[in-house]
Amino acid sequence: VIRKESAAWHYLYTDPRYHWAERRTDQLIREPFCRECAKRDLRVPATDADHIEPHRGDKKLFWDQSNWQSLCKLCHDRKTAEGR
């Protein structure tokens, strides 16, 4: 489900010209376990490549790999719901 506020930049994830699916895979290979769970000494496989600082359509921030982290679905969904 695309939230209204993110609809304007959702194309960055889906447009094949931007290759996000490949970058996501690269991130999950580099960091295969959830970073948030690791803070609680849990080893949970990551499923989502997440932007640490929300990019809100800023392409520079979107593609900045130092702004990426791997999260499990539960942690990613929680972070997104909190608007972080």
Side-chain angles (χ1 to χ4, degrees), residues 26-52:
D26 293 345
Q27 172 62 29
L28 294 174
I29 289 170
R30 272 192 308 277
E31 187 177 13
F33 297 100
C34 177
R35 193 179 289 187
E36 286 297 312
C37 288
K39 292 176 184 177
R40 297 185 311 275
D41 294 323
L42 300 172
R43 193 166 168 94
V44 177
T47 56
D48 293 60
D50 176 64
H51 292 90
I52 299 165

Side-chain angles (χ1 to χ4, degrees), residues 2-45:
I2 300 171
R3 294 183 336 206
K4 185 177 179 179
E5 61 271 12
S6 65
W9 63 76
H10 189 72
Y11 72 94
L12 291 168
Y13 296 98
T14 59
D15 189 319
R17 295 175 294 175
Y18 292 101
H19 305 284
W20 173 251
E22 292 174 30
R23 302 296 79 77
R24 174 191 175 278
T25 299
D26 293 345
Q27 172 62 29
L28 294 174
I29 289 170
R30 272 192 308 277
E31 187 177 13
F33 297 100
C34 177
R35 193 179 289 187
E36 286 297 312
C37 288
K39 292 176 184 177
R40 297 185 311 275
D41 294 323
L42 300 172
R43 193 166 168 94
V44 177

Side-chain angles (χ1 to χ4, degrees), residues 21-82:
E22 292 174 30
R23 302 296 79 77
R24 174 191 175 278
T25 299
D26 293 345
Q27 172 62 29
L28 294 174
I29 289 170
R30 272 192 308 277
E31 187 177 13
F33 297 100
C34 177
R35 193 179 289 187
E36 286 297 312
C37 288
K39 292 176 184 177
R40 297 185 311 275
D41 294 323
L42 300 172
R43 193 166 168 94
V44 177
T47 56
D48 293 60
D50 176 64
H51 292 90
I52 299 165
E53 179 182 340
H55 59 84
R56 310 245 191 273
D58 178 334
K59 287 183 185 179
K60 184 175 181 189
L61 195 56
F62 184 91
W63 294 114
D64 179 1
Q65 290 184 28
S66 69
N67 188 41
W68 298 352
Q69 65 180 343
S70 296
L71 298 176
C72 67
K73 179 164 178 37
L74 181 64
C75 287
H76 185 265
D77 289 353
R78 182 182 306 121
K79 180 179 178 266
T80 300
E82 293 171 357

